[in-house]
Amino acid sequence: TQLLEQSPQFLSIQEGENLTVYCNSSSVFSSLQWYRQEPGEGPVLLVTVVTGGEVKKLKRLTFQFGDARKDSSLHITAAQPGDTGLYLCAGGNNDMRFGAGTRLTVKP
Amino acid sequence: DAGVTQSPTHLIKTRGQHVTLRCSPISGHKSVSWYQQVLGQGPQFIFQYYEKEERGRGNFPDRFSARQFPNYSSELNVNALLLGDSALYLCASSFLPVSRGGPDTQYFGPGTRLTVL
């Protein structure tokens, strides 16, 4: 059972478009992490958010942690084909629980 | 420094067989976690080890077992393989274990792709 629900499950957009993907849970997490995974590889950590309401920026990626620390969003500005991949959120308490991911395809 | 390494990269087994997967953490990391990732799903937590002791276990049957060695490398063993065990098995290492105080950064290996026929 996935404690973290990610939406949308699939997203296909054109290069240059903006997008937002979501990660929601009924549980409160002490922290939440976003990963990006490419085929045949393990997930790579993008960011960790800890404080409710926290916003972190990583170049064209903006991550937000909900005030109640139950949800998070990832916004990508001017998406590029290199952004293609599986975006996973994971909540950390005593162990790491992952969502099912959003599979993003950015077409040139 | 080398990242997390896993072996083998691919493995094909038949139902009922046993498999051992291996993981070497990043030098200096004392915690290793194992995850199972079925196609189309996110990773599912199996085990966490820290300083050779089991610190957490996910909802997996007793056919799954693991251990951590004095050099902090780890093995995941799966007995009596089922078709449903086909998945990508990921190992992640961190300096400290995931805890309620907030997770230490985990670094994932490339995984072992297990196919059970």
Side-chain angles (χ1 to χ4, degrees):
Chain A
T1 303
Q2 301 283 159
L3 296 179
L4 289 157
E5 299 291 333
Q6 291 191 244
S7 61
Q9 187 177 358
F10 298 96
L11 187 57
S12 181
I13 61 172
Q14 292 294 134
E15 182 177 3
E17 293 184 3
N18 300 332
L19 67 113
T20 302
V21 298
Y22 301 92
C23 174
N24 296 293
S25 175
S26 58
S27 300
V28 176
F29 290 102
S30 57
S31 66
L32 195 141
Q33 299 186 332
W34 283 93
Y35 293 82
R36 178 166 158 261
Q37 185 178 22
E38 298 193 37
E41 298 182 8
V44 175
L45 179 67
L46 297 174
V47 76
T48 299
V49 286
V50 178
T51 306
E54 182 177 4
V55 176
K56 281 191 174 179
K57 292 191 175 184
L58 183 66
K59 297 183 180 178
R60 294 177 294 101
L61 279 59
T62 301
F63 304 85
Q64 185 162 6
F65 201 13
D67 290 341
R69 290 185 290 135
K70 291 184 179 181
D71 56 85
S72 182
S73 64
L74 159 59
H75 181 81
I76 301 179
T77 303
Q80 299 176 1
D83 296 327
T84 293
L86 178 67
Y87 288 82
L88 295 159
C89 67
N93 285 329
N94 288 321
D95 55 54
M96 193 68 70
R97 305 285 174 164
F98 282 82
T102 292
R103 188 162 298 279
L104 171 66
T105 302
V106 182
K107 301 176 183 177
Chain B
D1 275 342
V4 177
T5 59
Q6 293 187 244
S7 62
T9 55
H10 295 84
L11 200 54
I12 299 176
K13 292 284 189 178
T14 57
R15 284 177 295 176
Q17 286 190 310
H18 161 271
V19 68
T20 298
L21 310 180
R22 295 177 175 83
C23 171
S24 291
I26 291 172
S27 178
H29 284 190
K30 300 181 179 181
S31 181
V32 169
S33 296
W34 287 96
Y35 295 83
Q36 179 196 66
Q37 187 175 23
V38 174
L39 197 62
Q41 297 286 324
Q44 297 287 321
F45 172 72
I46 310 175
F47 287 109
Q48 182 183 199
Y49 276 79
Y50 177 69
E51 291 279 17
K52 295 168 286 181
E53 292 188 0
E54 182 182 305
R55 293 291 294 263
R57 184 185 182 116
N59 188 25
F60 280 81
D62 292 343
R63 298 184 296 108
F64 289 77
S65 64
R67 55 179 175 168
Q68 188 177 30
F69 299 100
N71 66 353
Y72 302 111
S73 66
S74 178
E75 284 184 353
L76 175 69
N77 295 284
V78 187
N79 293 323
L81 285 167
L82 303 174
L83 296 179
D85 296 331
S86 295
L88 179 69
Y89 288 85
L90 294 162
C91 171
S93 81
S94 58
F95 183 69
L96 295 173
V98 174
S99 68
R100 184 160 286 278
D104 195 19
T105 299
Q106 288 190 97
Y107 296 87
F108 283 83
T112 293
R113 172 73 60 189
L114 172 65
T115 301
V116 182
L117 302 176

